[in-house]
Amino acid sequence: MAKGKTATVFYCQSCGYESMKWMGQCPGCREWNTFVEETVSRTQLKTTGGQLKNQTERAEACVLSDITISEENRIMTGLEELDRVMGGGIVQGSLTLVGGDPGIGKSTLLLQVCRNLADKGHKVLYISGEESQVQIKMRADRIGSFAEQMLLLCETSLDTISEIIRQKKPEVVIIDSIQTMYNDNVSAAPGSVSQVRESTAILLQLAKGLGVSVFIVGHVTKEGTVAGPRVLEHMVDTVLYFEGDRHASYRILRGVKNRFGSTNEIGVFEMREQGLVEVQNPSEYMLSGRPENASGSIVACTMEGTRPLLIEIQALVCHSNFGIPRRQTTGTDFNRVNLLMAVLEKRSGVQLSGCDAYVNITGGMKIMEPAIDLGIVLAILSSFRNKVLSPKLLAFGEVGLSGEVRGVSMAKQRVTEAEKLGFEVCIVPYVCMEECQKNSKIKVVGVKTVQDAIDYLL
Ligand code: TYD
Ligand code: MG
């Protein structure tokens, strides 16, 4: 390409896949209609990199064993749930991405972090590109009083922001949100893939160069109008997702990537009038609204990517008035449920052929993972026999055609999640039992066949 010439590139707004031409479906993440054209000036990008390198100190190779880790390198936020998800506090000089749907409470969470840190005497800088100072003040008033250590800046230009960070030298910086930030050297609009990437690269250099811990807020957007947080997941040290049903008050903070700790942790919060409150016993919230003493209900665990998710499976089995029984499913595969009912009938002698059956996954989730098979089978049988299953019981496992319960991946994570959410008994595939029992206080029951599970429970 000729020097100084601008080129157009198509980017997937969901995962950042780069292409020279427009495509309907992204080969990277299989999302439809996510490609957007952006103008990129290659030569300009190169000079930016050069300038930045000159600003930071020259790196020197050093002996690994000479590096000492002291306790002070982590800052506690005072929000226990968040500290745990981050692997025990904020690491100095780290870059953390907090993703989530708009309106889920990312700004609220980070403002509360700022309040706690400022109270403890840490210098924090909250940079907002979305709200005015008055708006933030109004939100802050709902949350509580702030100490003087808390600085506020409403700015979207990264040049100004880096200057202020260098000048004020805060310990923690919040960028709310990355999609509103822009860098003059990139011609694309704020929120575009190239702009978001370049901005993050600058923040990364600031974080590592000055030892500032930076939190970046990234909105998840389904429409693909702005670049999603997945575009930057590989650049940052820690990725946290804040999720939850907007109509329900609970919120879950999940670690998806963490260079300083495990990603098996979740933090549960409740959104109240005065901001977010930590939930000490999350099981109540997760299963709030769950019917008490009702047959046909069981909790199963599914994996959302690498994240375990507990869901309630409900079944209603009743006598059919017609020759052809009615079967209906919401949130799971219809054919799979039919198959599982056939297995139950053939292998365990349960007469289901004259019954209507309805299976529902609550909460509007769509789950196709075979690991919930055992849960579906037990829910159906519980409804059929009208027997109530313990509310502290969880079951997962794939059911095969001969009624055997097969192993599933990441069984240990599922059991850990169940333990975390206050469950007492886990029915797991026999092959996974040993792995699940390791360091867990929860009672783990391994079953080889569906019949074993039925004998144990019903
Ligand atoms: P916000 O933090 O602005 O979301 P995000 O930054 O992720 O877009 O949170 C917005 C929602 O939180 C809004 O719908 C109102 C609610 N909320 C409360 O219920 N209580 C509170 O004290 C605050 C500050 C917000
Ligand atoms: Mg916000």
Side-chain angles (χ1 to χ4, degrees):
M1 194 195 309
K3 224 181 178 190
K5 207 176 171 187
T6 53
T8 57
V9 173
F10 291 86
Y11 282 113
C12 167
Q13 302 286 300
S14 166
C15 70
Y17 190 93
E18 194 179 324
S19 165
M20 293 316 277
K21 61 179 195 329
W22 188 87
M23 277 184 274
Q25 188 186 27
C26 172
C29 64
R30 306 260 147 221
E31 290 284 332
W32 288 93
N33 250 339
T34 52
F35 275 89
V36 171
E37 185 175 11
E38 287 177 19
T39 43
V40 204
S41 152
R42 300 274 171 191
T43 38
Q44 271 173 4
L45 281 179
K46 266 182 207 150
T47 45
T48 328
Q51 274 166 10
L52 280 164
K53 249 173 233 149
N54 295 340
Q55 278 165 17
T56 49
E57 289 155 36
R58 249 182 78 197
E60 294 246 344
C62 60
V63 183
L64 180 65
S65 52
D66 285 354
I67 304 169
T68 50
I69 306 165
S70 61
E71 271 300 303
E72 298 85 63
N73 283 355
R74 280 191 189 256
I75 308 171
M76 289 300 178
T77 63
L79 283 170
E80 256 178 57
E81 298 281 310
L82 177 69
D83 284 340
R84 206 184 43 231
V85 174
M86 295 197 66
I90 307 169
V91 176
Q92 197 196 350
S94 65
L95 194 62
T96 306
L97 173 68
V98 181
D101 291 330
I104 206 80
K106 300 179 295 296
S107 307
T108 310
L109 176 75
L110 291 172
L111 205 58
Q112 279 179 256
V113 169
C114 285
R115 197 223 16 223
N116 288 0
L117 291 175
D119 277 350
K120 286 184 179 175
H122 297 290
K123 199 167 174 184
V124 288
L125 173 61
Y126 186 98
I127 302 167
S128 178
E130 298 193 333
E131 291 162 302
S132 69
Q133 287 178 339
V134 179
Q135 277 176 307
I136 298 170
K137 176 76 180 147
M138 272 160 58
R139 187 206 303 268
D141 283 345
R142 290 170 73 176
I143 292 171
S145 59
F146 280 71
E148 268 178 28
Q149 302 289 335
M150 157 97 186
L151 302 172
L152 187 61
L153 174 69
C154 292
E155 181 59 63
T156 53
S157 160
L158 266 168
D159 286 341
T160 319
I161 288 171
S162 5
E163 208 165 285
I164 291 180
I165 293 177
R166 281 173 206 284
Q167 192 188 330
K168 300 275 181 196
K169 296 202 168 42
E171 286 169 69
V172 177
V173 173
I174 316 278
I175 305 283
D176 188 2
S177 64
I178 192 69
Q179 283 118 344
T180 57
M181 298 296 150
Y182 79 91
N183 175 7
D184 285 328
N185 297 320
V186 180
S187 50
S192 58
V193 172
S194 39
Q195 194 65 263
V196 160
R197 271 193 188 154
E198 189 67 9
S199 303
T200 310
I202 294 177
L203 291 167
L204 185 69
Q205 300 231 2
L206 279 173
K208 304 295 168 194
L210 303 174
V212 194
S213 308
V214 181
F215 281 86
I216 297 174
V217 171
H219 293 294
V220 172
T221 50
K222 303 244 155 48
E223 294 77 28
T225 43
V226 292
R230 280 194 52 201
V231 171
L232 340 157
E233 275 182 0
H234 65 284
M235 297 174 81
V236 300
D237 296 314
T238 307
V239 179
L240 308 176
Y241 274 97
F242 206 37
E243 34 189 67
D245 187 355
R246 256 214 273 173
H247 306 291
S249 60
Y250 67 83
R251 304 278 185 270
I252 297 176
L253 186 71
R254 249 178 239 279
V256 177
K257 166 183 173 181
N258 195 348
R259 287 187 182 148
F260 313 111
S262 90
T263 49
N264 292 331
E265 302 286 352
I266 63 163
V268 183
F269 296 88
E270 189 192 353
M271 183 62 96
R272 296 229 188 113
E273 270 296 292
Q274 312 79 23
L276 292 158
V277 183
E278 292 173 75
V279 175
Q280 302 297 340
N281 185 2
S283 63
E284 288 168 30
Y285 279 91
M286 294 306 296
L287 304 165
S288 59
R290 217 187 140 198
E292 267 173 43
N293 295 325
S295 61
S297 160
I298 191 168
V299 177
C301 187
T302 179
M303 300 299 293
E304 281 259 301
T306 55
R307 305 178 251 172
L309 183 78
L310 295 198
I311 41 129
E312 185 196 344
I313 301 171
Q314 294 185 326
L316 185 67
V317 180
C318 50
H319 181 72
S320 179
N321 290 319
F322 300 100
I324 304 167
R326 200 178 148 82
R327 306 275 158 90
Q328 201 175 321
T329 62
T330 319
T332 188
D333 188 10
F334 173 79
N335 294 320
R336 187 90 199 158
V337 170
N338 274 334
L339 184 145
L340 292 172
M341 290 179 75
V343 170
L344 205 51
E345 182 148 359
K346 178 87 179 170
R347 306 290 169 196
S348 300
V350 186
Q351 286 299 315
L352 290 168
S353 50
C355 295
D356 289 345
Y358 305 89
V359 174
N360 177 30
I361 310 282
T362 61
M365 298 287 306
K366 281 208 169 27
I367 294 159
M368 298 299 158
E369 207 203 352
I372 64 167
D373 286 357
L374 189 59
I376 294 175
V377 167
L378 291 175
I380 289 171
L381 200 68
S382 156
S383 176
F384 179 76
R385 296 205 178 150
N386 209 11
K387 272 201 171 169
V388 180
L389 292 169
S390 157
K392 298 279 178 211
L393 171 84
L394 179 132
F396 63 83
E398 180 181 343
V399 173
L401 287 187
S402 49
E404 82 276 22
V405 177
R406 309 172 76 105
V408 295
S409 63
M410 293 188 256
K412 179 67 189 162
Q413 270 104 314
R414 296 175 207 250
V415 172
T416 312
E417 180 93 345
E419 193 172 341
K420 182 81 136 309
L421 294 181
F423 282 78
E424 285 162 8
V425 184
C426 263
I427 311 281
V428 305
Y430 188 80
V431 285
C432 303
M433 192 167 76
E434 215 171 293
E435 162 194 3
C436 294
Q437 265 170 341
K438 251 181 244 159
N439 319 321
S440 61
K441 289 182 210 83
I442 195 167
K443 183 172 178 193
V444 178
V445 181
V447 290
K448 279 182 180 155
T449 61
V450 169
Q451 192 57 45
D452 284 355
I454 296 171
D455 291 344
Y456 180 78
L457 291 170
L458 294 155

